[in-house]
C-alpha cells in the first residue's frame, strides 16, 4: 500500500466489476465507435475526449501525483477490459501506462512533479518511441543519436511503429548517446539513453503514415527527430543505461498479454451469441467450452504475471505474453470456423478482432524475442 503524508492508503481497486462500473461511460463510447474507428483508421474525437476525461489515464500514476497508484495487476485488468472493446485504444493505453511507470520509477523529483500530474489528469498522453526501421527487434542496432551540446542534447533520427504518434504530448525516446561497448545485453545495448521529449519540441514531427492491417486506430506511425534540442533535464534515468531500464520493465508484471486476453474474451462472447441464436447444438456447445478454457488459461498466465507471485517474475511476464497472444489467435481462428458463413462478412467484429490480435505477437518484445529471452534467462550458460 502507498503511504501518503505518512498515512497508509488503501490498495488500488482491482475488482473487475468495480472497474467496469467506474469506466462504464468510457466503455460505452469505445463500444459505439470501435468499428467506425477501424474503418477510418483513426480514433474519433469522441473516443479521445472520453479517454481523457474518464480518469483511466491515472491508473499507474502514484497517488501523490494525483493517480490511482495501481500496479501491474490493475494495469493488466484495465487493459484487458479496454481490449475487449477496442484493442487499438488498449495498446495506446498500455504504452501510456508503460511510460508513466518508467517516469515514476526512474525520474528525478523535478521530472515527476512536471510530468506525472499531467499524465494523471488526462491533459497528456504518453507514448514510447523505441523502434526503428532497419533495427532488430532487440533494439541493439538503433541509429537515433543524442549528442551533448551546451545546456542539453540534440536528437537526430527516425522512429517507426510508434503507437500513439500524433496523439501523445510526451514521447519516451530511445537514443544512442555513446558508442556501444562490449557489454552483452539481450534487449538494447550499452551506451543507449532515454529522453522525455515533449510533442511540441522544435524538430519533432509525428506522422501517422502506416496503413496497418490490424490495430488500425492505434495512431501507429513515425516520429522524426531533426536537430531536436532537449534540455539536460530531459534524460530519464542514468545516461548510457537504458538497457537496464528496459530489462526491468518485464520485472514489473505489466504485460501485453492482457490485450490478447481481452480480445480472446470478446471473441468467445461473440461465439456464445452465435450458438445461442442457432440453438444449443451439442458439438457447438462443446466448442464453446473449449474456447472458454483457452481464454481462462491465458487469463491465468496474465494474472500470475500481474501478481508477481512467481519466483521469476520477469520470466512470468514473458511467458504471459507468448501464451496469451498465441491462445488468442487460436480462439479467433476456432471462432471463425464455428461461425462459418455467418462470420465471413467483412464487417463482422470477429474479423476485426482477428486482425488486431495478430499484432500483439509482433509488439515489443516480439514473441520470437520473448522466447529468446526466456531461453537465455531460464537456461543460463
Amino acid at each position: 500500500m502507498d503511504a501518503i503524508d505518512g498515512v497508509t492508503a488503501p490498495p488500488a481497486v482491482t475488482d473487475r466489476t468495480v472497474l467496469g462500473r467506474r469506466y462504464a461511460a468510457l466503455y460505452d463510447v469505445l463500444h459505439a465507435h470501435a468499428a467506425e474507428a477501424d474503418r477510418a483508421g483513426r480514433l474519433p474525437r469522441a473516443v479521445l475526449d472520453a479517454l481523457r476525461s474518464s480518469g483511466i489515464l491515472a491508473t499507474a500514476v502514484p497517488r501523490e501525483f494525483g493517480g490511482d497508484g495501481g500496479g501491474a495487476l490493475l494495469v493488466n485488468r484495465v487493459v484487458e477490459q479496454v481490449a475487449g472493446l477496442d484493442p487499438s485504444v488498449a495498446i495506446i493505453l498500455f504504452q501510456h501506462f508503460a511510460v508513466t511507470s518508467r517516469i515514476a520509477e526512474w525520474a528525478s523529483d523535478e521530472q515527476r512533479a512536471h510530468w506525472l500530474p499531467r499524465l494523471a489528469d488526462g491533459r497528456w498522453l504518453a507514448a514510447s518511441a523505441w523502434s526503428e526501421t532497419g533495427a532488430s527487434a532487440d533494439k541493439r542496432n538503433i541509429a537515433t543519436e543524442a549528442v551533448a551540446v551546451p545546456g542539453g542534447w540534440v536528437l537526430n533520427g527516425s522512429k517507426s511503429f510508434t503507437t500513439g504518434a500524433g496523439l501523445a504530448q510526451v514521447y519516451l525516446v530511445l537514443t544512442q548517446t555513446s558508442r556501444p561497448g562490449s557489454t552483452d545485453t539481450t534487449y538494447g545495448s550499452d551506451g543507449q539513453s532515454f529522453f522525455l521529449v515533449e510533442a511540441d519540441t522544435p524538430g519533432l514531427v509525428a506522422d501517422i503514415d502506416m496503413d496497418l492491417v490490424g490495430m488500425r486506430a492505434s495512431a501507429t506511425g513515425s516520429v522524426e527527430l531533426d536537430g531536436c534540442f532537449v534540455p539536460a533535464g530531459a534524460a530519464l534515468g542514468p545516461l548510457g543505461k537504458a538497457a537496464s531500464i528496459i530489462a526491468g520493465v518485464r520485472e514489473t508484471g505489466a504485460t501485453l498479454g492482457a490485450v490478447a486476453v481481452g480480445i480472446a474474451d470478446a471473441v468467445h462472447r461473440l461465439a456464445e451469441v452465435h450458438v445461442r441464436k442457432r440453438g444449443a447444438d451439442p458439438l457447438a456447445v462443446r466448442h464453446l467450452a473449449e474456447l472458454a478454457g483457452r481464454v481462462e488459461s491465458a487469463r491465468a498466465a496474465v494474472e500470475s504475471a500481474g501478481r508477481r507471485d512467481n519466483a521469476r517474475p520477469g520470466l512470468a511476464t514473458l511467458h504471459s505474453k507468448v501464451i496469451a497472444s498465441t491462445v488468442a489467435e487460436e480462439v479467433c481462428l476456432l471462432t471463425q470456423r464455428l461461425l462459418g458463413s455467418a462470420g465471413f462478412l467483412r464487417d463482422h467484429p470477429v474479423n476485426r478482432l482477428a486482425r488486431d490480435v495478430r499484432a500483439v505477437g509482433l509488439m515489443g518484445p516480439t514473441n520470437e524475442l520473448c522466447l529468446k529471452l526466456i531461453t537465455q534467462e531460464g537456461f543460463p550458460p
Side-chain angles (χ1 to χ4, degrees):
M1 292 187 287
D2 297 330
I4 305 175
D5 296 329
V7 178
T8 300
V13 174
T14 59
D15 182 86
R16 284 187 170 83
T17 302
V18 174
L19 293 173
R21 290 198 297 264
R22 174 181 293 179
Y23 301 121
L26 170 63
Y27 292 174
D28 286 345
V29 173
L30 296 181
H31 176 73
H33 290 280
E36 169 197 348
D38 178 76
R39 286 192 295 269
R42 63 180 64 246
L43 289 181
R45 187 71 204 181
V47 173
L48 288 171
D49 290 344
L51 187 66
R52 292 183 183 279
S53 64
S54 66
I56 202 169
L57 296 177
T59 297
V61 176
R63 294 188 179 192
E64 59 265 38
F65 297 101
D68 293 333
L73 186 64
L74 177 58
V75 164
N76 291 344
R77 289 184 178 180
V78 167
V79 168
E80 177 192 327
Q81 288 189 341
V82 172
L85 298 161
D86 190 335
S88 288
V89 176
I91 61 170
I92 291 172
L93 200 58
F94 186 87
Q95 294 301 328
H96 175 84
F97 293 155
V99 175
T100 296
S101 297
R102 301 295 75 71
I103 294 173
E105 182 179 6
W106 290 96
S108 65
D109 290 342
E110 183 179 356
Q111 288 173 323
R112 292 189 185 99
H114 176 71
W115 275 298
L116 290 177
R118 292 170 170 82
L119 295 172
D121 66 14
R123 281 177 288 171
W124 283 16
L125 275 169
S128 298
W130 298 12
S131 299
E132 295 183 13
T133 301
S136 60
D138 58 13
K139 308 299 187 289
R140 296 177 68 180
N141 300 299
I142 65 170
T144 299
E145 293 183 331
V147 177
V149 297
W153 298 80
V154 172
L155 280 56
N156 286 286
S158 179
K159 296 296 182 179
S160 60
F161 288 98
T162 298
T163 294
L167 301 180
Q169 282 68 49
V170 60
Y171 296 91
L172 181 59
V173 181
L174 181 64
T175 71
Q176 200 75 45
T177 48
S178 61
R179 297 184 65 177
S182 58
T183 303
D184 185 27
T185 63
T186 53
Y187 198 176
S189 68
D190 60 330
Q192 292 179 350
S193 304
F194 279 122
F195 290 89
L196 289 161
V197 186
E198 297 185 15
D200 60 358
T201 303
L204 185 151
V205 178
D207 185 10
I208 309 173
D209 55 359
M210 294 181 176
D211 188 10
L212 303 179
V213 172
M215 301 291 188
R216 288 180 45 75
S218 62
T220 296
S222 62
V223 174
E224 303 291 335
L225 302 157
D226 184 6
C228 185
F229 173 82
V230 295
L236 180 70
L239 289 172
K241 300 297 182 182
S244 298
I245 298 176
I246 294 171
V249 171
R250 56 184 174 270
E251 301 295 327
T252 67
T255 170
L256 277 165
V259 178
V261 172
I263 294 173
D265 183 66
V267 170
H268 174 245
R269 285 186 275 111
L270 289 172
E272 284 186 319
V273 170
H274 173 78
V275 170
R276 288 196 181 99
K277 287 182 178 179
R278 293 287 299 272
D281 174 77
L283 183 58
V285 171
R286 176 183 172 182
H287 286 320
L288 282 180
E290 292 177 350
L291 291 175
R294 291 174 187 243
V295 173
E296 288 307 313
S297 69
R299 179 175 283 126
V302 169
E303 287 283 295
S304 176
R307 289 194 301 270
R308 300 186 74 255
D309 56 5
N310 190 289
R312 304 283 299 277
L315 284 179
T317 303
L318 294 170
H319 279 299
S320 71
K321 180 179 185 287
V322 175
I323 292 169
S325 58
T326 301
V327 167
E329 286 198 58
E330 293 171 350
V331 168
C332 288
L333 178 58
L334 292 171
T335 299
Q336 287 173 315
R337 291 175 177 172
L338 178 62
L339 296 178
S341 59
F344 205 61
L345 295 173
R346 181 185 181 91
D347 287 338
H348 195 290
V350 72
N351 296 315
R352 170 173 56 84
L353 293 168
R355 286 188 280 107
D356 287 348
V357 79
R358 288 170 52 196
V360 180
L362 301 175
M363 295 176 186
T366 64
N367 280 9
E368 288 300 315
L369 182 55
C370 284
L371 293 172
K372 178 181 177 181
L373 295 169
I374 289 168
T375 301
Q376 292 177 338
E377 296 185 22
F379 301 93

